[in-house]
DNA sequence: CAGTGGTCTAGACCACATT
DNA sequence: ATGTGGTCTAGACCACTGT
C-alpha cells in the first residue's frame, strides 16, 4: 500500500554488520558498543601511545564500514571515561595520565580552599605474598594466586598525610619490582599504564572513621587516637575487572577529602 | 567549481534557529543546549509533575522546529542528570524522587556488604536565623539574608547513626514550617521538589575525620572521642545554584560511606 | 587553505510496550 | 496494529587549528 522509497541501495546496509572482524562478538550489542570495544582492545594492546593522535573519525568510520555518527557515539563514551580527549580542529588523542588528570579525577584530597597538591610518595615496603581471603575475594583472584603488597607514605606540604597499603595481582603485574616503584616519576596509575598497558577507568571507595593505632600513629607522626579516614578503594579497568586494592589512612589535618555526586554534564 | 548539491531547500534551515521563543538566549550555545534549557525551565515551572510522561521526542522536535536527533541530544543530558527516565516503547518520564533514586544516587551510607537502608529521620530543632558568614558565603546569599536551620537525627537499624545540620535559604523555601518537616514522608530532597519545585542535581561533599565532642556524643549515644566522619555537603540545582548546606556527623559503626569515581558508562 | 572535530538534519529500521 | 524510544545512516555546514 504505502509507497515507501525503501532500499534504494539495498545490498550495502545490513551486510556491513557481518563484515566486522570475526573476533568481535556483536550479538546483542549495538554497533557503537562493538566499535568502542574494538577500539579499547587496541588501546589495551598498546597500539597507540599516550598523547598520540588516534585515526580521524572519518578514517575509523570507513575502516569499520560504519557511519561517522556511530564512531562518534563510541568516542563519546571513551571521552566520558577520560580515556581519550578530543580537540576541535586538531584530532582525538589517547589521554596522557598526567598529573592534571590524576589530580582532578582520582585524587580526592585537597586543601580546605579546594586546591590540589601533588603528593610526594615514599615506598616503605614491597613484598610478594599470598593475600588474605578478603583481599583475594575483592580482587577476584583464583585460589593460591599471589599479590604484590606495597606500602607507601604520602607527603603533602612536607607533612605525612596518608598511609597506603596497595595490593596488586602478580598475574597482571608480572615484572613489577621494588626498583620500578622507587625510580618512577608520577603516580602508580601512570606506572600501570606505561609499563603494563593497564588503564584504570573507575574506582569504588569505602570510607570509615577510625583512630590511629600505635603503628599508624608512629608512621604518620601523630598521637595515638588521632581521628583518620580509612579508605578502602578498589580500582577497575575495562569490563569492571579489578586491578588494585588500596587501603589508605588519611589524616585530614589541613586537608580534606572531596568529591561530587552527579555533576558531570551540568546545564 | 565543486558541484555540491547545496541548499536545495534553502529558506528553512538557519531560519529555525531564530524561530525559537524570544526569551531563549541562543547566542554561543549549541541548539541542543538551548532546547535542554527550555525543557528544564518548564520542569522548574512545574509544567509536568513527577512520574508524568513528557511529550514524545517527535512532538518536541516539531514543537521546537528542530530535528529529532537534536531533541535526543538534549534528552541524553537530562537522563545523565537523573532528571528524566526513558523507557523504550513507553515514553520519557519526569523522574520521581523515589527512595530508589535517593538511595542509589545521593545516599552514600551502606552496610558493610554494600546494601542500603532507608533512614528514619527525627527532626530535633527548627529555627530561622541569620547565618554565619561561612554559611552565607557557601550558599551565595546576599548580606542579611536569613536561613532556616534544621537539625535532624537519622536512624539506621534502630540505631543513631547520623546527625545533620541543614541550612536552607529562606528566600528559596519561603513557606517552610516545622510541621512540614515533621509531617512529611520521604526525604528532604523530595520535599524540596514537591513543595518548592526545586530539583537537586548535584552535590559537592567535603569529608573530614573528627571525634565526637560532648554534645554529639550525647545525641548519638556514643562515648566522647568516638571517631566520626564529618561531611560538609553543598547541594545544587540547575546552573550550579546552591540550595542547601548540610553539615553531617556520621558514625561508621556497622555502616560505611561509599562512592565511585568515573564509573558512569563502563564498557 | 585544507583538515579536524562539533553540530544538525531527515529519514530508515529495530526492539519493545500497549491496545 | 500502533506508537514509543534506540540505533544508524549519509551528508551538510560550522568552528577551530594548523599550514
Amino acid at each position: 500500500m504505502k509507497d515507501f522509497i525503501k532500499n534504494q541501495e539495498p545490498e550495502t546496509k545490513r551486510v556491513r554488520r557481518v563484515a566486522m572482524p570475526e573476533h568481535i562478538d556483536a550479538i546483542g550489542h549495538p554497533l557503537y558498543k562493538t566499535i568502542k570495544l574494538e577500539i579499547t582492545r587496541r588501546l589495551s594492546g598498546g597500539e597507540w601511545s599516550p598523547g598520540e593522535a588516534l585515526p580521524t573519525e572519518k578514517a575509523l568510520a570507513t575502516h569499520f564500514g560504519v557511519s561517522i555518527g556511530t564512531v562518534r557515539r563510541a568516542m563519546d563514551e571513551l571521552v566520558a571515561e577520560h580515556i581519550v580527549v578530543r580537540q576541535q580542529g586538531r584530532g582525538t588523542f589517547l589521554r596522557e595520565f598526567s598529573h592534571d588528570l590524576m589530580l582532578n579525577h582520582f585524587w580526592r584530597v585537597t586543601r580546605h580552599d579546594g586546591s590540589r597538591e601533588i603528593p610526594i610518595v615514599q615506598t616503605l615496603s614491597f613484598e610478594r605474598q599470598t593475600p588474605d581471603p578478603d583481599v583475594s575475594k575483592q580482587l577476584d583472584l583464583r585460589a593460591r594466586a599471589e599479590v604484590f603488597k606495597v606500602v607507601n607514605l604520602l607527603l603533602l606540604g612536607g607533612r605525612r598525610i596518608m598511609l597506603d597499603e596497595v595490593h596488586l595481582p602478580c598475574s597482571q603485574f608480572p615484572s613489577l619490582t621494588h626498583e620500578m616503584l622507587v625510580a618512577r616519576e608520577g603516580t602508580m596509575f601512570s606506572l600501570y599504564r606505561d609499563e603494563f598497558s593497564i588503564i584504570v577507568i573507575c574506582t569504588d571507595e569505602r570510607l570509615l572513621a577510625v583512630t590511629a593505632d600505635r603503628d599508624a600513629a608512629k608512621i604518620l607522626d601523630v598521637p595515638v587516637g588521632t581521628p583518620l579516614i580509612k579508605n578502602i578503594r578498589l580500582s577497575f579497568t575495562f569490563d569492571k575487572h579489578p586491578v588494585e586494592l588500596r587501603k589508605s589512612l588519611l589524616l585530614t589535618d589541613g586537608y580534606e577529602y572531596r568529591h561530587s555526586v552527579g555533576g558531570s554534564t551540568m546545564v
Side-chain angles (χ1 to χ4, degrees), chain A:
Chain A
M1 284 303 231
K2 309 177 180 177
D3 51 355
F4 285 153
I5 308 168
K6 57 170 85 170
N7 294 336
Q8 289 191 341
E9 37 184 16
E11 77 292 359
T12 56
K13 284 198 168 184
R14 288 298 107 198
V15 181
R16 281 170 181 161
R17 188 168 216 132
V18 288
M20 293 294 295
E22 318 75 27
H23 60 283
I24 297 182
D25 173 26
I27 296 176
H29 288 33
L31 188 47
Y32 74 90
K33 286 278 187 189
T34 310
I35 303 292
K36 180 187 171 190
L37 186 58
E38 174 61 16
I39 295 175
T40 58
R41 280 223 177 91
R42 300 189 181 198
L43 291 173
S44 303
E47 185 151 335
W48 300 290
S49 37
E52 190 178 345
L54 272 59
T56 67
E57 299 180 339
K58 195 160 172 15
L60 287 169
T62 58
H63 174 265
F64 288 118
V66 299
S67 165
I68 199 171
T70 304
V71 171
R72 280 190 67 76
R73 184 80 188 268
M75 284 295 190
D76 283 343
E77 296 203 351
L78 293 176
V79 170
E81 287 164 9
H82 297 86
I83 297 168
V84 301
V85 284
R86 281 198 282 223
Q87 294 183 37
Q88 180 172 151
R90 301 223 309 132
T92 305
F93 304 84
L94 176 53
R95 185 149 197 168
E96 298 188 71
F97 224 114
S98 60
H99 284 302
D100 167 66
L101 173 59
M102 183 59 192
L103 251 54
N104 291 311
H105 195 49
F106 290 116
W107 180 248
R108 312 308 319 160
V109 181
T110 74
R111 299 192 193 92
H112 292 315
D113 65 2
S115 62
R116 287 173 164 82
E117 188 182 334
I118 301 170
I120 295 174
V121 184
Q122 296 178 353
T123 298
L124 302 186
S125 75
F126 174 83
E127 52 186 311
R128 185 184 182 117
Q129 62 177 215
T130 304
D132 297 336
D134 168 59
V135 172
S136 181
K137 187 185 167 198
Q138 292 199 65
L139 284 173
D140 198 21
L141 298 180
R142 295 185 308 279
R144 291 186 306 280
E146 290 184 312
V147 298
F148 292 113
K149 178 176 144 190
V150 183
V151 178
N152 286 330
L153 177 63
L154 278 69
L155 285 75
L156 287 173
R159 288 169 43 229
R160 304 171 179 188
I161 292 297
M162 198 160 146
L163 183 59
D164 279 358
E165 188 180 287
V166 184
H167 301 263
L168 303 167
C170 295
S171 57
Q172 295 185 69
F173 300 87
S175 61
L176 186 66
T177 64
H178 195 175
E179 288 67 38
M180 288 167 69
L181 293 169
V182 174
R184 81 176 183 291
E185 297 275 317
T187 68
M188 294 288 278
F189 284 1
S190 65
L191 178 75
Y192 304 163
R193 174 169 207 156
D194 297 339
E195 301 291 334
F196 302 97
S197 288
I198 291 177
I199 302 177
V200 174
I201 306 294
C202 102
T203 64
D204 284 353
E205 312 206 2
R206 307 163 51 190
L207 275 55
L208 297 162
V210 298
T211 53
D213 62 14
R214 233 185 32 194
D215 291 343
K218 191 176 174 190
I219 298 176
L220 288 171
D221 193 25
V222 294
V224 171
T226 301
L228 304 171
I229 290 178
K230 181 175 185 177
N231 183 2
I232 302 170
R233 184 183 76 176
L234 196 54
S235 301
F236 303 90
T237 184
F238 302 114
D239 286 311
K240 200 91 179 172
H241 190 68
V243 293
E244 180 207 70
L245 175 65
R246 188 179 301 205
K247 300 182 180 181
S248 306
L249 292 174
L250 173 66
L251 175 64
T252 60
D253 181 8
Y255 296 89
E256 59 191 42
Y257 182 100
R258 287 203 183 206
H259 79 108
S260 294
V261 178
S264 48
T265 52
M266 282 306 286
V267 179

